[in-house]
């Protein structure tokens, strides 16, 4: 056991996976000597060499397109996209090939790969470095989309992703890369894909969040509980697609109320899908419409006003109070 | 046309003798380009210092690349359209965007993104190489509309790996548009050296594949840069089609203020390039040509310092942007939904203010009791 930050846990998982499975190679921009712009691959170039930790030319379509070829021909690529806002040159590869090669080849080919992508905002970065567009990928059948909110889960989910026979988009919340440390076991362990975690039990309302928003939501929740004398259940979705409907429905059936909090904009965000599914499946148990708390429906603004774009504690509180007092 | 690297490097080390004084550039223009390089460097260094002091956001410095910034900007005519990257604050300000706007921009302020109406500068591209098809399109529009305008896209060596670079070159060649693609080959894309971007000997030679001319210049020599760009702009304006220019240069500093170049570059390498520093180089030439002396140098430094300092003062004095600005300019007319969300934000801020006032009052009462 050692106390690791989230980014250290990612690095630890990569090392563990590469030691165990020789087919795994890392490729991306600045991941070699430089150890990645967030240092997620620090030391791996030194340990595994330039044929397994590969700096590519600056071309995301090349990184992902080549990963398709690598994966169908015996390797297990883990490509890194430097920031979520820069994955779009590879969008065609992601949507038209990575997501559907299994279907297009009727099972003959599959592309097991883990596409690592730092995401989310509020790190005072320049334009387009603060995106939360997980919906694009969660909207796409064939992709598994994962977003850890803690160092322990980051390692366990990443190791599980490396074992998956399907392509996984692994979203790493940049804002909490180094925000706190947690006990992370040494060696191999997995946190199952497709399983949400009830991180706090409660009776009156279910709040669903992931990534950076999870901890911020937990802070708000304890304050609302103290102020209102209610008890709130909090679910960390962890896998955003295909997401764990059973855990969510079970909780909402119990509490009768649900709020989804996310850093992506509201319009057609994942909250819309979750709210719709809850309405479809739990309508008779619902005491209030499902509330969504999300970033305002504008592109991430420049950083001087960025913090107010994302859900603030006040807006999360208001969302919870709205369903409690409906 | 492309010159081999070695020749370029040798040229950079040669001092221009008095008889080499350019006949095609006026004394005043030479002096002005020097002044501009000094100003751009001051701007750059002060931005880095401000970032270190927590008074500015992440900043991508261009120190070392001033000859490119200044040479390009001077070769453009006011009507020509510039498509810059994040590294091109120098060229952007010289083509007409006020310095303090740039500082506000790098400080994350929406009002810093405002480009004056009569200035033909596109917002700095952040996603690599995406500006190059735009430059091609703007040049195409000039051709289709029959106006005398050239579009110039700036980009880095790393950008030459992206699909958008190749697409832009190809379109430009096929439609024979008045575009100039100017590559600042500073040898690195963050940590990745040029040898990882291309197996070609030069970037300039890639133009050949797209059916137009590629040129290589010493990017530490502002005169060479100016001449190459001026020739390309004139050719384009006369219907001669696009040109790709590769300028050999180096960024002395980090990729951005969040980068540590000692991870991937040696001090010896950086020192070698420092010896080709475009600023002392032009200064020595100007002195040799009798156009510069100590007094002028001191005045120039003072002037640059004053300009940059007043831009910083203006940036710091600018009132904090109203956060509801984030709802502006999403569509031409704000939608009803966005209006509602704007109101929600304002109401939240109002409650925050009230709560703070109440807390302040409570604290004062507490204090009064003691
Ligand atoms: C599409 C895209 N991918 C990745 C990045 C992250 N990134 C920012 S600058 C940079 C290197 C660019 O190198 P180069 O084009 O040589 O220009 P320079 O920064 O050296 O001026 C990278 C990889 C980005 N901004 N956009």
């Amino acid at each position: 056991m050692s106390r690791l930050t989230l980014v250290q846990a990612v690095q630890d998982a990569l090392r563990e996976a590469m030691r165990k499975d020789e087919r795994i190679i890392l490729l991306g921009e600045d991941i070699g000597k430089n150890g990645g712009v967030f240092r997620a691959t620090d030391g791996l170039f030194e340990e595994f060499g330039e044929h397994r930790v590969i700096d590519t030319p600056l071309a995301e379509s090349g990184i992902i397109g080549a990963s398709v070829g690598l994966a169908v021909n015996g390797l297990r690529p883990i490509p890194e996209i430097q920031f979520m806002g820069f994955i779009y040159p590879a969008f065609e590869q992601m949507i038209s090939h990575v997501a559907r090669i299994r279907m297009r080849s009727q099972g003959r080919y599959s592309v097991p790969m883990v596409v690592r992508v730092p995401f989310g905002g509020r790190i005072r970065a320049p334009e387009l470095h603060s995106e939360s567009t997980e919906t694009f990928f969660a909207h796409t059948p064939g992709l598994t989309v994962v977003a850890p909110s803690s160092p322990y889960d980051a390692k366990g989910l990443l190791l599980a992703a490396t074992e998956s026979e399907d392509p996984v988009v692994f979203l790493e919340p940049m804002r909490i890369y180094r925000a706190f440390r947690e006990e992370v076991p040494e060696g191999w362990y997995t946190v199952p894909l497709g399983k949400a975690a009830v991180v706090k039990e409660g009776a009156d309302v279910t709040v669903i969040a992931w990534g950076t928003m999870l901890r911020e939501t937990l802070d708000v929740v304890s304050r609302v509980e103290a102020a209102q004398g209610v008890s709130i259940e909090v679910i960390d979705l962890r896998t955003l697609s295909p997401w764990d409907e059973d855990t969510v429905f079970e909780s909402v059936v119990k509490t009768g109320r649900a709020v989804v909090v996310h850093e992506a904009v509201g319009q057609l965000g994942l909250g819309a899908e979750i709210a719709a599914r809850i309405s479809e499946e739990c309508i008779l148990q619902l005491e209030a419409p499902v509330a969504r708390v999300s970033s305002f429906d504008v592109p991430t603004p420049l950083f001087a006003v960025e913090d107010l774009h994302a859900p603030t504690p006040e807006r999360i509180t208001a969302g919870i109070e709205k369903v409690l007092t409906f | 046309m492309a010159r081999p690297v070695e020749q370029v490097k040798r040229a950079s080390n040669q001092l221009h003798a008095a008889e080499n004084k350019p006949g095609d550039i006026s004394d005043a223009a030479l002096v002005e380009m020097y002044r501009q390089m000094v100003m751009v460097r001051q701007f750059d260094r002060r931005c880095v210092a401000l970032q270190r002091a927590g008074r500015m956001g992440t900043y991508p410095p261009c120190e070392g690349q001033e000859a490119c910034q200044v040479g390009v900007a001077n070769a453009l005519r006011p009507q020509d359209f510039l498509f810059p990257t994040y590294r091109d604050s120098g060229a952007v300000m010289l083509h007409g965007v006020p310095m303090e706007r740039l500082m506000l921009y790098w400080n994350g302020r929406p009002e810093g993104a405002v480009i004056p109406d009569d200035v033909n500068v596109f917002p700095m591209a952040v996603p690599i190489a995406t500006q190059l098809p735009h430059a091609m399109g703007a040049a195409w529009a000039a051709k289709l509309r029959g106006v005398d305008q050239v579009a110039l896209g700036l980009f880095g060596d790393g950008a030459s790996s992206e699909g958008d670079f190749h697409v832009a070159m190809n379109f430009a060649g096929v439609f024979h548009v008045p575009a100039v693609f100017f590559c600042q080959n500073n040898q690195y894309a963050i940590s990745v050296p040029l040898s990882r971007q291309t197996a070609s000997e030069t970037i300039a030679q890639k133009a050949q594949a797209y059916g137009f001319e590629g040129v290589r210049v010493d990017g530490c020599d502002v005169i060479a840069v100016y001449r190459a760009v001026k020739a390309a702009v004139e050719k384009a304006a006369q219907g001669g089609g696009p040109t790709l220019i590769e300028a050999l240069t180096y960024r002395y500093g980090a990729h951005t203020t969040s980068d540590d170049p000692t991870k991937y570059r040696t001090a010896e390498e950086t020192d070698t390039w420092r010896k080709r520093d475009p600023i002392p180089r032009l200064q020595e030439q100007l002195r040799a040509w009798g156009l510069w002396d100590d007094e002028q140098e001191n005045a120039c430094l003072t002037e640059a310092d004053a300009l940059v300092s007043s831009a910083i003062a203006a940036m710091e004095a600018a009132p904090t942007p109203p956060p509801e600005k984030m709802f502006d300019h999403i569509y031409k007319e704000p939608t009803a939904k966005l209006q509602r969300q704007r109101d929600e934000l304002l109401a939240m801020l109002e409650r925050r203010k009230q709560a703070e006032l109440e807390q302040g009052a409570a604290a004062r009462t507490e204090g009064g009791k003691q």
Side-chain angles (χ1 to χ4, degrees):
Chain A
M1 282 281 207
S2 38
R3 294 182 63 75
L4 301 183
T5 61
L6 198 151
V7 71
Q8 287 170 333
V10 166
Q11 193 194 101
D12 195 35
L14 291 172
R15 186 177 292 110
E16 202 65 46
M18 293 183 79
R19 283 181 183 163
K20 182 169 159 189
D21 187 343
E22 289 212 324
R23 297 170 302 169
I24 293 178
I25 62 167
L26 312 186
L27 65 161
E29 295 156 10
D30 306 287
I31 66 164
K33 228 189 225 180
N34 200 42
V37 294
F38 293 103
R39 305 292 179 248
T41 55
D42 220 10
L44 302 181
F45 178 80
E46 288 73 14
E47 178 171 349
F48 299 102
E50 60 172 343
H51 298 296
R52 291 187 72 197
V53 183
I54 307 166
D55 277 331
T56 65
L58 205 178
E60 291 73 14
S61 60
I63 294 169
I64 302 299
S67 292
V68 170
L70 289 161
V72 293
N73 212 12
L75 293 180
R76 292 264 174 160
I78 305 186
E80 175 182 297
I81 297 294
Q82 208 160 75
F83 288 84
M84 192 164 207
F86 306 136
I87 199 172
Y88 309 124
F91 205 59
E92 171 165 47
Q93 294 293 343
M94 291 297 301
I95 306 302
S96 305
H97 301 294
V98 174
R100 64 173 89 187
I101 218 64
R102 183 185 295 287
M103 182 273 267
R104 288 189 57 226
S105 67
Q106 290 296 296
R108 167 71 171 82
Y109 294 119
S110 61
V111 283
M113 65 169 84
V114 185
V115 184
R116 293 184 38 248
V117 192
F119 86 119
R122 294 174 296 148
I123 57 165
R124 281 175 65 86
E127 281 183 286
L128 287 149
H129 287 72
S130 307
E131 306 299 289
S132 293
T133 51
E134 57 266 33
T135 281
F136 293 156
F137 305 101
H139 182 65
T140 304
L143 296 177
T144 301
V145 184
V146 175
S149 69
S150 69
Y152 179 90
D153 279 0
K155 179 172 175 184
L157 287 166
L158 185 49
L159 288 177
T162 65
E163 286 182 328
S164 172
E165 292 302 321
D166 289 311
V168 175
V169 179
F170 193 81
L171 303 175
E172 300 172 4
M174 283 186 287
R175 184 171 153 90
I176 54 169
Y177 256 156
R178 297 184 168 78
F180 60 99
R181 287 172 186 274
E182 190 175 74
E183 292 294 333
V184 174
E186 268 147 42
W188 190 275
Y189 71 95
T190 58
V191 170
L193 303 183
K195 278 258 155 256
V198 177
V199 290
K200 189 194 152 309
E201 290 193 12
D204 301 313
V205 53
T206 302
V207 180
I208 301 144
W210 54 88
T212 299
M213 268 352 286
L214 195 266
R215 296 187 73 79
E216 296 177 31
T217 299
L218 279 170
D219 289 344
V220 171
V221 157
S222 53
R223 268 180 275 148
V224 175
E225 284 186 324
Q228 311 255 343
V230 292
S231 99
I232 301 174
E233 183 142 306
V234 179
I235 294 179
D236 181 353
L237 201 59
R238 297 199 299 201
T239 296
L240 311 185
S241 182
W243 56 281
D244 184 358
E245 296 192 339
D246 291 347
T247 299
V248 170
F249 295 164
E250 200 180 302
S251 172
V252 177
V253 164
K254 179 176 75 176
T255 62
R257 297 179 165 90
V259 181
V260 190
V261 182
H262 62 58
E263 202 175 341
V265 296
Q267 59 182 44
L268 282 173
L270 262 175
E273 173 70 13
I274 297 169
R277 290 292 297 134
I278 293 173
S279 308
E280 284 167 351
E281 301 298 329
C282 313
I283 188 72
L284 295 177
Q285 286 82 16
L286 275 182
E287 308 277 351
V290 181
R292 288 179 288 156
V293 184
S294 50
S295 284
F296 292 120
D297 289 326
V298 303
T300 314
L302 287 171
F303 70 77
V305 295
E306 186 189 0
D307 287 358
L308 291 165
H309 177 234
T312 52
E314 291 100 321
R315 287 174 56 218
I316 300 172
T317 306
I320 297 172
E321 285 174 351
K322 190 167 138 193
V323 298
L324 281 171
T325 57
F326 178 76
Chain B
M1 190 61 196
R3 288 203 281 163
V5 192
E6 274 322 302
Q7 212 179 316
V8 173
K9 284 186 183 158
R10 244 183 291 124
S12 346
N13 294 330
Q14 251 168 33
L15 252 191
H16 287 225
E19 62 268 23
N20 289 341
K21 187 172 161 222
D24 54 335
I25 311 173
S26 72
D27 291 355
L30 288 168
V31 165
E32 184 54 24
M33 289 204 286
Y34 180 77
R35 285 208 153 88
Q36 291 175 357
M37 288 201 292
V38 169
M39 182 184 72
V40 170
R41 180 158 298 184
Q42 289 260 7
F43 172 90
D44 206 62
R45 289 190 174 172
R46 296 289 291 276
C47 286
V48 173
L50 284 169
Q51 192 281 336
R52 295 269 177 261
R55 286 153 67 194
M56 191 177 274
T58 308
Y59 175 76
C62 70
E63 178 161 347
Q65 303 183 201
E66 292 89 348
C68 295
Q69 299 289 308
V70 169
V72 163
N74 281 272
L76 291 178
R77 305 161 302 170
Q79 76 264 33
D80 294 331
F81 214 140
L82 178 68
F83 290 79
T85 77
Y86 49 86
R87 190 152 335 268
D88 303 315
S89 292
V92 166
M93 77 177 78
L94 294 171
H95 206 49
V97 175
M99 197 186 278
E100 82 179 72
R101 291 278 164 84
L102 280 158
M103 287 187 158
L104 284 164
Y105 175 78
W106 289 116
N107 213 4
R109 309 275 297 253
E111 65 278 30
V114 178
I115 293 164
D117 283 347
D118 56 346
V119 170
N120 293 317
V121 173
F122 207 60
M124 291 187 263
V126 175
I128 303 299
T130 50
Q131 73 281 12
L132 299 177
H134 306 159
M136 181 279 153
W140 199 4
K143 181 178 175 179
L144 293 172
R145 291 166 56 223
V147 296
D148 179 18
Q149 187 186 35
V150 170
L152 184 143
L154 288 163
F155 64 107
D157 41 300
S160 72
S161 296
E162 287 280 9
D164 273 356
F165 162 79
H166 297 274
V167 165
M169 297 294 121
N170 193 40
F171 269 55
V174 167
F175 294 104
H176 200 67
V177 300
V180 181
F181 301 102
F182 188 94
C183 177
Q184 293 174 84
N185 175 358
N186 64 9
Q187 320 299 325
Y188 288 88
I190 309 188
S191 72
V192 181
L194 182 64
S195 57
R196 256 309 144 87
Q197 301 300 344
T198 182
S200 309
E201 200 187 327
T202 72
I203 288 174
Q205 77 192 61
K206 291 173 192 283
Q208 204 187 344
Y210 299 108
F212 55 89
E213 190 187 2
V215 212
R216 214 171 196 216
V217 293
D218 178 353
C220 302
D221 178 354
V222 70
I223 295 170
V225 171
Y226 170 78
R227 281 185 179 141
V229 179
K230 193 155 194 300
V233 167
E234 277 167 8
K235 180 180 89 177
Q238 284 156 17
T243 308
L244 168 61
I245 301 173
E246 174 188 6
L248 295 175
T249 180
Y250 201 79
R251 80 171 138 72
Y252 294 156
H255 167 72
T256 67
T257 42
S258 347
D259 171 54
D260 172 14
T262 61
K263 293 256 306 182
Y264 54 83
R265 301 192 309 203
T266 63
E268 295 75 61
E269 184 187 287
T270 311
D271 288 347
T272 311
W273 281 93
R274 282 240 180 234
K275 294 202 184 87
R276 305 182 192 130
D277 190 331
I279 295 181
R281 182 163 162 187
L282 181 60
Q283 190 190 135
E284 280 174 55
Q285 290 170 315
L286 291 179
R287 283 178 191 268
W289 299 330
L291 299 176
W292 204 249
D293 59 23
D294 288 349
E295 202 179 316
Q296 281 163 301
E297 176 66 13
N298 289 335
C300 169
L301 290 172
T302 313
E303 181 200 28
D305 186 57
L307 266 171
V308 176
S309 296
S310 83
I312 294 174
M315 184 253 301
E316 299 209 311
T320 19
E324 66 272 23
K325 260 198 141 346
M326 76 173 81
F327 292 100
D328 293 351
H329 308 295
I330 310 302
Y331 298 98
K332 179 124 194 345
E333 302 298 338
T335 63
K337 180 180 75 174
L338 288 180
Q339 296 271 29
R340 258 197 326 275
Q341 294 188 358
R342 186 175 183 273
D343 293 344
E344 185 191 332
L345 172 66
L346 290 174
M348 183 199 86
L349 291 173
E350 186 53 37
R351 281 195 302 276
R352 212 179 247 195
K353 209 164 86 191
Q354 287 306 327
E356 273 160 17
L357 284 176
E358 279 160 29
Q359 257 174 14
R364 275 193 300 281
T365 322
E366 268 308 290
K369 278 183 200 150
Q370 279 156 21

